[in-house]
Amino acid sequence: MAKAAILEKVGGLTIGEVELADPGPHEVLIDTKACGLCHSDLHFIDGAYPHPLPAIPGHEAAGVVRAVGSEVNTVKPGDHVVSCLSVFCGHCEFCVTGRMALCLGADTRRSADQTPRIIRSIDKTPVGQMLNLSAFCEQMLIHENACVAIDKDMPLDRAAIIGCAVTTGAGTIFNACKVVPGETVAVVGCGGVGLAAINAAKIAGAGKVIAIDPLAEKRELAQVLGATHTVDAMADNAVEEVMKISHGGVHHAIEAVGRQASADLCVKILRRGGTATILGMMPLDCKVGLGAMDLLSGKKLQGAIMGMNHFPVDLPRLVDFYMRGLLDLDTIIAERIPLEKINEGFEKMKQGTSARSVVVFD
């Protein structure tokens, strides 16, 4: 049996016990050691994004492999691993053209055995697996293409946040935007994803890194992680301030909040030929667009799910960046909490004053 935070109904999580099946041929059973609280989880908990219930959320995790299925050849028992929700099939159009984050090969992610992978201990009823991971649980049973082995010297609480926030933020800089040294980058929203993007922009050699957030505490964190300038997102002259700092607009504007206003701001602060990249999970009825003059100015708008990562390659590199002192994960983690305090962690997230909370399992 394993203890888990289960989403029974919209509004909050309950702690209960579940049982996981034995690994199928391509599945991996992992003892979860740490899992970050991500705003994407909150969207499901609050009902902004629908999902069949009951289910176990959580997708930003690290742990130790306990057992593997008969066909698994990428990891072995005892390996330290980071999970990633952008599990890939390996043979669809997106995978073979290097866009693994876009893979939708759900039929290949499961074991051929379609019996429930997770059930409640109390009544043996199925519990849904959210985003192929369900990491708010003492154990994860996932496809081998949803995790990657990392250096065992890497602290697992810091490794966990690489699985989503850092992969998304840093991946956007390195993969989706391909930031060139000297370019100006603006990041709207200085939560876990935004801070990771700021840190990665520094690593990539961006000339100016402008952090835009309404909270002074978040802007201060951004400066620790590499922001050269900060702007209050709620200031009446925020656009003018960015234009002044960047001498006419930024090369890259990254939205890391999930709000219409912040996406629109990204478009407004672009220079000619600049690119706005939207990372946040906005309300499903939101639309972001470019005007006629934006198009005539060569401006571009793109989404970048999970930073358009190639996670089997990217994650070990990000671990190496941390081990070499280039990537600052310590500043991004605001607190470490037990599973029993997970709802308190999400309440703190709603206040928006701190960065990442991480659930640590004994």
Side-chain angles (χ1 to χ4, degrees):
M1 291 190 296
K3 189 164 55 177
I6 305 170
L7 183 61
E8 305 275 4
K9 59 182 180 180
V10 169
L13 299 165
T14 58
I15 305 300
E17 290 188 335
V18 297
E19 298 173 12
L20 287 75
D22 293 330
H26 287 282
E27 289 180 323
V28 179
L29 180 64
I30 298 165
D31 290 328
T32 314
K33 297 301 181 183
C35 184
L37 272 57
C38 178
H39 213 282
S40 302
D41 294 310
L42 188 58
H43 287 313
F44 291 110
I45 292 168
D46 286 348
Y49 278 67
H51 193 282
L53 302 179
I56 301 172
H59 60 273
E60 186 179 84
V64 179
V65 175
R66 175 180 285 265
V68 300
S70 59
E71 301 296 322
V72 172
N73 56 25
T74 55
V75 296
K76 62 185 182 302
D79 280 352
H80 291 198
V81 295
V82 175
S83 63
C84 187
L85 67 90
S86 54
V87 57
F88 59 94
C89 71
H91 54 71
C92 69
E93 173 190 352
F94 299 116
C95 287
V96 300
T97 55
R99 296 173 291 168
M100 299 159 60
L102 297 178
C103 176
L104 290 174
D107 59 327
T108 66
R109 297 176 188 173
R110 304 298 329 154
S111 163
D113 178 3
Q114 292 301 307
T115 57
R117 315 315 291 157
I118 308 174
I119 60 173
R120 299 177 200 265
S121 296
I122 191 169
D123 60 8
K124 311 304 181 186
T125 55
V127 178
Q129 190 174 34
M130 192 174 285
L131 299 177
N132 304 293
L133 297 175
S134 287
F136 291 151
C137 182
E138 291 176 327
Q139 291 187 326
M140 292 184 286
L141 180 63
I142 64 177
H143 194 282
E144 64 174 317
N145 288 355
C147 65
V148 60
I150 61 168
D151 187 335
K152 289 184 178 180
D153 289 333
M154 177 70 181
L156 289 172
D157 57 341
R158 274 140 283 187
I161 64 171
I162 294 179
C164 179
V166 178
T167 290
T168 300
T172 296
I173 296 295
F174 300 139
N175 298 325
C177 295
K178 296 181 170 63
V179 170
V180 173
E183 288 185 327
T184 299
V185 176
V187 178
V188 181
C190 297
V193 172
L195 292 173
I198 288 165
N199 197 181
K202 175 186 176 182
I203 295 170
K208 293 178 181 175
V209 183
I210 306 169
I212 306 172
D213 196 281
L215 297 175
E217 303 97 318
K218 293 286 191 68
R219 297 197 297 272
E220 289 172 8
L221 279 176
Q223 287 181 305
V224 174
L225 285 159
T228 59
H229 301 77
T230 65
V231 172
D232 183 348
M234 301 305 292
D236 292 336
N237 66 338
V239 173
E240 291 78 6
E241 190 70 18
V242 174
M243 289 297 184
K244 180 180 177 181
I245 294 168
S246 61
H247 302 296
V250 303
H251 295 89
H252 299 280
I254 296 167
E255 198 282 340
V257 183
R259 292 180 182 166
Q260 183 78 55
S262 57
D264 293 339
L265 175 61
C266 281
V267 173
K268 290 177 183 177
I269 61 177
L270 292 177
R271 69 173 57 210
R272 293 171 63 85
T275 301
T277 304
I278 311 302
L279 300 182
M281 290 176 66
M282 295 193 296
L284 293 170
D285 59 350
C286 280
K287 287 180 170 45
V288 185
L290 297 174
M293 286 306 298
D294 295 323
L295 295 169
L296 289 171
S297 300
K299 297 178 183 178
K300 296 174 282 293
L301 176 66
Q302 66 178 355
I305 183 170
M306 289 293 292
M308 296 305 291
N309 71 82
H310 315 100
F311 89 83
V313 174
D314 292 353
L315 265 64
R317 288 179 177 174
L318 292 169
V319 166
D320 181 59
F321 282 172
Y322 174 81
M323 301 293 282
R324 290 162 53 199
L326 297 172
L327 185 65
D328 181 355
L329 303 177
D330 302 86
T331 299
I332 294 176
I333 298 176
E335 63 173 358
R336 294 163 179 82
I337 59 175
L339 185 65
E340 288 77 9
K341 291 189 176 181
I342 193 167
N343 285 313
E344 295 174 31
F346 279 113
E347 286 303 315
K348 186 171 291 188
M349 179 186 291
K350 292 177 184 178
Q351 297 169 14
T353 54
S354 62
R356 221 52 164 191
S357 297
V358 177
V359 170
V360 176
F361 296 85
D362 291 333

